[in-house]
Amino acid sequence: MVDKIKVENCFRKSIDTYNANATVQEKICSNLMELLYCPKHDKVLEIGCGTGFLTQAFLQKYSPKKYIANDLVADSKISVKKIFERMPNIDFSFVSGDAEKVEFESSNDLIISASTVQWFDNLPRFLQKAYNLLSPGGVLIFSTFGTDNLNEIRSACNSGLKYFSEKEIYDMVAEKFSVLEIKEEHHYLSFPKPLSVLRHMKLTGVNGNNKKIWQAKDFTEFDKKYRMLSKNQNDVTLTYNPVYVVAIKE
């Protein structure tokens, strides 16, 4: 089970530093919108809006009548609300809380989510929930992460989230939806040293699964293990493995 309180705290602390450091997450939002199949979008629900990367990418192309944004971190409303202040014709509302537990409005034309559902305890159950929240013909489009995601961190620390393969994700989605598209990518970030990777994780809030209090010896051991994993002597790499899904409720 994911410690949602810790996840919330980590992302809340990173709100002011997230946009400048989450370059891969921003790219993922852009790529997700390029895949969007959206015949109707009057009522949109976004799960895990964060600071608004996906929100802005969507609104650059579409103008829904009603937009409901959700995030585990209540303070995310401040950033996202500013986006809608420039769009007074859209009925905007924000719902804070764990999307696995929150009761949302039904009859949505579109549900969108980027880099969020990997934090969920039960993805199949959430997919059933999304199915119930959509109108017939409604579209679910989301990104999560595959089995190679952050593999350097997970190898060095011997811990991390459980990620599903592209096929496993397809099978879960196909239980309820017709899958229109599924694809995965790999993005590689370079850092001068392993401790820079840890700083990146902290500044983007994605260190929410870390359950231990680190001592000086832990940082030394992490540095040693991470360098052993790197094939380049000049810098070290961190892998992101996004998986994109577009599905329709028929």
Side-chain angles (χ1 to χ4, degrees):
M1 300 289 287
V2 175
D3 185 344
K4 298 289 182 71
I5 294 176
K6 181 172 177 57
V7 172
E8 178 185 1
N9 287 337
C10 288
F11 278 110
R12 177 174 47 78
K13 291 176 181 178
S14 72
I15 282 181
D16 293 335
T17 57
Y18 184 85
N19 285 5
N21 294 276
T23 55
V24 172
Q25 287 86 342
E26 184 175 21
K27 178 63 174 174
I28 287 171
C29 291
S30 177
N31 291 348
L32 193 60
M33 285 300 97
E34 290 180 3
L35 299 174
L36 179 57
Y37 168 78
C38 188
K40 187 178 180 183
H41 53 271
D42 288 342
K43 187 177 180 182
V44 179
L45 170 62
E46 180 181 356
I47 302 297
C49 63
T51 58
F53 278 160
L54 184 59
T55 313
Q56 294 186 85
F58 178 81
L59 294 175
Q60 287 174 1
K61 295 185 176 182
Y62 301 97
S63 181
K65 293 179 180 178
K66 184 175 181 63
Y67 196 102
I68 304 166
N70 153 264
D71 200 85
L72 184 64
V73 180
D75 290 348
S76 296
K77 179 180 180 179
I78 299 171
S79 300
V80 179
K81 186 177 180 180
K82 290 179 181 178
I83 299 172
F84 287 91
E85 288 175 353
R86 305 189 296 270
M87 300 178 175
N89 294 328
I90 300 176
D91 180 7
F92 166 70
S93 61
F94 180 86
V95 180
S96 64
D98 181 353
E100 292 190 274
K101 299 178 180 178
V102 170
E103 293 188 9
F104 297 105
E105 293 183 21
S106 59
S107 302
N108 296 281
D109 300 312
L110 177 67
I111 297 177
I112 61 176
S113 180
S115 306
T116 297
V117 302
Q118 70 276 3
W119 296 105
F120 289 176
D121 291 319
N122 193 321
L123 181 54
R125 186 168 59 196
F126 173 75
L127 292 170
Q128 175 66 65
K129 182 176 184 177
Y131 183 89
N132 295 339
L133 290 171
L134 284 167
S135 299
V139 173
L140 169 66
I141 178 168
F142 70 94
S143 71
T144 183
F145 293 98
T147 53
D148 291 337
N149 198 59
L150 307 182
N151 57 19
E152 300 90 348
I153 288 280
R154 291 186 290 133
S155 295
C157 298
N158 197 30
S159 66
L161 292 175
K162 173 176 172 54
Y163 297 105
F164 297 106
S165 69
E166 180 181 348
K167 183 182 185 305
E168 288 174 321
I169 295 168
Y170 175 90
D171 289 342
M172 283 186 276
V173 178
E175 281 287 323
K176 298 300 298 183
F177 295 87
S178 292
V179 179
L180 302 180
E181 184 161 7
I182 183 167
K183 60 180 290 189
E184 68 175 331
E185 298 173 337
H186 289 79
H187 298 269
Y188 305 97
L189 295 183
S190 294
F191 297 90
K193 55 186 178 180
L195 293 185
S196 300
V197 177
L198 290 181
R199 177 172 171 78
H200 166 76
M201 300 282 285
K202 181 178 180 179
L203 294 177
T204 56
V206 297
N207 57 330
N209 196 55
N210 178 32
K211 295 181 173 63
K212 69 185 241 182
I213 299 175
W214 286 44
Q215 307 295 331
K217 64 178 182 180
D218 296 314
F219 288 103
T220 301
E221 184 67 17
F222 173 81
D223 184 276
K224 179 181 178 181
K225 287 184 177 180
Y226 207 105
R227 290 182 188 277
M228 291 176 62
L229 295 168
S230 178
K231 297 178 181 179
N232 192 329
Q233 297 300 314
N234 297 321
D235 55 27
V236 295
T237 301
L238 180 64
T239 302
Y240 281 94
N241 176 205
V243 179
Y244 305 92
V245 179
V246 184
I248 187 169
K249 175 181 178 179
E250 293 184 333

PDB file of all heavy atoms in Angstrom, residues 214-221:
ATOM      1  N   TRP A 214      17.273   8.660   5.986  1.00  0.00           N
ATOM      2  CA  TRP A 214      18.637   8.410   5.531  1.00  0.00           C
ATOM      3  C   TRP A 214      19.665   8.991   6.486  1.00  0.00           C
ATOM      4  O   TRP A 214      19.522  10.118   6.976  1.00  0.00           O
ATOM      5  CB  TRP A 214      18.833   9.006   4.143  1.00  0.00           C
ATOM      6  CG  TRP A 214      18.158   8.216   3.047  1.00  0.00           C
ATOM      7  CD1 TRP A 214      16.906   7.696   3.066  1.00  0.00           C
ATOM      8  CD2 TRP A 214      18.714   7.875   1.772  1.00  0.00           C
ATOM      9  NE1 TRP A 214      16.631   7.042   1.904  1.00  0.00           N
ATOM     10  CE2 TRP A 214      17.722   7.137   1.081  1.00  0.00           C
ATOM     11  CE3 TRP A 214      19.935   8.120   1.155  1.00  0.00           C
ATOM     12  CZ2 TRP A 214      17.920   6.654  -0.207  1.00  0.00           C
ATOM     13  CZ3 TRP A 214      20.136   7.630  -0.126  1.00  0.00           C
ATOM     14  CH2 TRP A 214      19.138   6.897  -0.798  1.00  0.00           C
ATOM     15  N   GLN A 215      20.723   8.191   6.735  1.00  0.00           N
ATOM     16  CA  GLN A 215      21.878   8.640   7.492  1.00  0.00           C
ATOM     17  C   GLN A 215      23.024   8.918   6.511  1.00  0.00           C
ATOM     18  O   GLN A 215      22.931   8.587   5.326  1.00  0.00           O
ATOM     19  CB  GLN A 215      22.288   7.566   8.503  1.00  0.00           C
ATOM     20  CG  GLN A 215      21.167   7.109   9.408  1.00  0.00           C
ATOM     21  CD  GLN A 215      20.658   8.190  10.333  1.00  0.00           C
ATOM     22  OE1 GLN A 215      21.412   9.090  10.720  1.00  0.00           O
ATOM     23  NE2 GLN A 215      19.381   8.127  10.683  1.00  0.00           N
ATOM     24  N   ALA A 216      24.113   9.475   7.003  1.00  0.00           N
ATOM     25  CA  ALA A 216      25.252   9.807   6.138  1.00  0.00           C
ATOM     26  C   ALA A 216      25.766   8.573   5.403  1.00  0.00           C
ATOM     27  O   ALA A 216      26.092   8.627   4.209  1.00  0.00           O
ATOM     28  CB  ALA A 216      26.367  10.432   6.970  1.00  0.00           C
ATOM     29  N   LYS A 217      25.797   7.435   6.090  1.00  0.00           N
ATOM     30  CA  LYS A 217      26.294   6.207   5.467  1.00  0.00           C
ATOM     31  C   LYS A 217      25.378   5.741   4.334  1.00  0.00           C
ATOM     32  O   LYS A 217      25.830   5.114   3.374  1.00  0.00           O
ATOM     33  CB  LYS A 217      26.449   5.107   6.511  1.00  0.00           C
ATOM     34  CG  LYS A 217      25.139   4.677   7.157  1.00  0.00           C
ATOM     35  CD  LYS A 217      25.367   3.532   8.146  1.00  0.00           C
ATOM     36  CE  LYS A 217      24.048   3.081   8.746  1.00  0.00           C
ATOM     37  NZ  LYS A 217      24.250   1.961   9.715  1.00  0.00           N
ATOM     38  N   ASP A 218      24.092   6.060   4.443  1.00  0.00           N
ATOM     39  CA  ASP A 218      23.150   5.659   3.399  1.00  0.00           C
ATOM     40  C   ASP A 218      23.417   6.428   2.099  1.00  0.00           C
ATOM     41  O   ASP A 218      23.335   5.860   1.008  1.00  0.00           O
ATOM     42  CB  ASP A 218      21.712   5.897   3.855  1.00  0.00           C
ATOM     43  CG  ASP A 218      21.335   5.039   5.047  1.00  0.00           C
ATOM     44  OD1 ASP A 218      21.631   3.828   5.020  1.00  0.00           O
ATOM     45  OD2 ASP A 218      20.758   5.577   6.004  1.00  0.00           O
ATOM     46  N   PHE A 219      23.724   7.714   2.225  1.00  0.00           N
ATOM     47  CA  PHE A 219      24.043   8.521   1.052  1.00  0.00           C
ATOM     48  C   PHE A 219      25.327   8.028   0.391  1.00  0.00           C
ATOM     49  O   PHE A 219      25.431   7.975  -0.834  1.00  0.00           O
ATOM     50  CB  PHE A 219      24.176   9.996   1.439  1.00  0.00           C
ATOM     51  CG  PHE A 219      22.871  10.659   1.768  1.00  0.00           C
ATOM     52  CD1 PHE A 219      22.514  10.893   3.083  1.00  0.00           C
ATOM     53  CD2 PHE A 219      22.000  11.047   0.759  1.00  0.00           C
ATOM     54  CE1 PHE A 219      21.310  11.496   3.394  1.00  0.00           C
ATOM     55  CE2 PHE A 219      20.787  11.660   1.062  1.00  0.00           C
ATOM     56  CZ  PHE A 219      20.438  11.886   2.381  1.00  0.00           C
ATOM     57  N   THR A 220      26.301   7.660   1.221  1.00  0.00           N
ATOM     58  CA  THR A 220      27.570   7.144   0.692  1.00  0.00           C
ATOM     59  C   THR A 220      27.353   5.835  -0.058  1.00  0.00           C
ATOM     60  O   THR A 220      27.883   5.632  -1.159  1.00  0.00           O
ATOM     61  CB  THR A 220      28.573   6.929   1.838  1.00  0.00           C
ATOM     62  OG1 THR A 220      28.799   8.165   2.514  1.00  0.00           O
ATOM     63  CG2 THR A 220      29.897   6.401   1.295  1.00  0.00           C
ATOM     64  N   GLU A 221      26.554   4.944   0.517  1.00  0.00           N
ATOM     65  CA  GLU A 221      26.268   3.658  -0.113  1.00  0.00           C
ATOM     66  C   GLU A 221      25.472   3.842  -1.400  1.00  0.00           C
ATOM     67  O   GLU A 221      25.708   3.160  -2.403  1.00  0.00           O
ATOM     68  CB  GLU A 221      25.497   2.766   0.869  1.00  0.00           C
ATOM     69  CG  GLU A 221      25.232   1.356   0.362  1.00  0.00           C
ATOM     70  CD  GLU A 221      26.501   0.529   0.204  1.00  0.00           C
ATOM     71  OE1 GLU A 221      27.545   0.913   0.787  1.00  0.00           O
ATOM     72  OE2 GLU A 221      26.449  -0.490  -0.495  1.00  0.00           O
TER      73      GLU A 221
END
